[in-house]
Amino acid sequence: MRKAFFSIVAGLCAAGIVAGAAMAADMKTDDALKYRQGLFKALAWQFGPVVGMAKGEVPFSNEQLALRADNMDAIAKMLADGFPKGSADGEIAGTKAKPEIWTNQADFTAKLVALQTATAALSAASGTLTQGDVGKHVAAIGGTCKACHDSYRNR
Ligand code: ASC
């Protein structure tokens, strides 16, 4: 009787631990999804005025370019944390992230680094640019966004 009681308690505890772990994993991936989506929103927000300058819709400013480029670079460096295993489309709701991110990790990382390189290039060049130079930086940065989306984001 006593033995049976203990084995039931032990069983319940084990079930509780497993349920707790599963819940922690869900929370982690759901939080990671919110985190990365927030970063992508912030990245697009920072990129907006740069695109506007390239189009002549926002007043040209090297200081603004440097600020936006630095912000984008910082955001780009924070993105990798937002892609824990188990957070692909099919594993959690509300994401377009393809499972290939986790099977081609070296390539995914290279594409993230390409974004950082492009934003760092704008940051380094700002100070000496004219309005006519902005377009090629926008194309370079936007190209890195597109390259990653083409491979790793579901439509
Ligand atoms: C943006 C944005 C993207 C990229 C992409 C570039 O401003 O929100 O997802 O640029 O359109 O091809």
Side-chain angles (χ1 to χ4, degrees):
M1 181 63 196
R2 221 176 138 79
K3 210 170 168 186
F5 173 75
F6 277 117
S7 73
I8 288 166
V9 170
L12 288 175
C13 286
I17 289 162
V18 170
M23 224 150 74
D26 285 350
M27 274 182 64
K28 203 169 163 255
T29 51
D30 283 348
D31 284 350
L33 175 60
K34 286 182 206 155
Y35 170 78
R36 74 188 183 221
Q37 288 179 341
L39 287 178
F40 285 123
K41 279 241 179 328
L43 187 59
W45 185 279
Q46 293 297 316
F47 195 30
V50 180
V51 175
M53 279 187 233
K55 290 180 175 169
E57 293 169 1
V58 170
F60 174 79
S61 154
N62 270 304
E63 279 166 23
Q64 275 296 309
L65 283 175
L67 176 67
R68 300 303 175 178
D70 288 351
N71 289 344
M72 288 195 288
D73 201 40
I75 293 164
K77 286 172 181 156
M78 296 162 78
L79 280 169
D81 281 353
F83 290 88
K85 275 207 177 83
S87 65
D89 187 6
E91 295 176 309
I92 58 171
T95 180
K96 294 178 185 170
K98 287 187 184 175
E100 284 76 8
I101 290 169
W102 292 270
T103 52
N104 303 334
Q105 278 210 318
D107 183 61
F108 179 71
T109 301
K111 285 177 164 56
L112 261 182
V113 170
L115 168 65
Q116 293 162 9
T117 303
T119 54
L122 175 59
S123 175
S126 60
T128 60
L129 295 179
T130 61
Q131 193 270 334
D133 299 320
V134 185
K136 66 175 188 285
H137 285 278
V138 165
I141 294 167
T144 68
C145 302
K146 186 179 185 306
C148 200
H149 293 164
D150 287 350
S151 297
Y152 297 116
R153 186 177 67 169
N154 281 326
R155 281 160 210 287

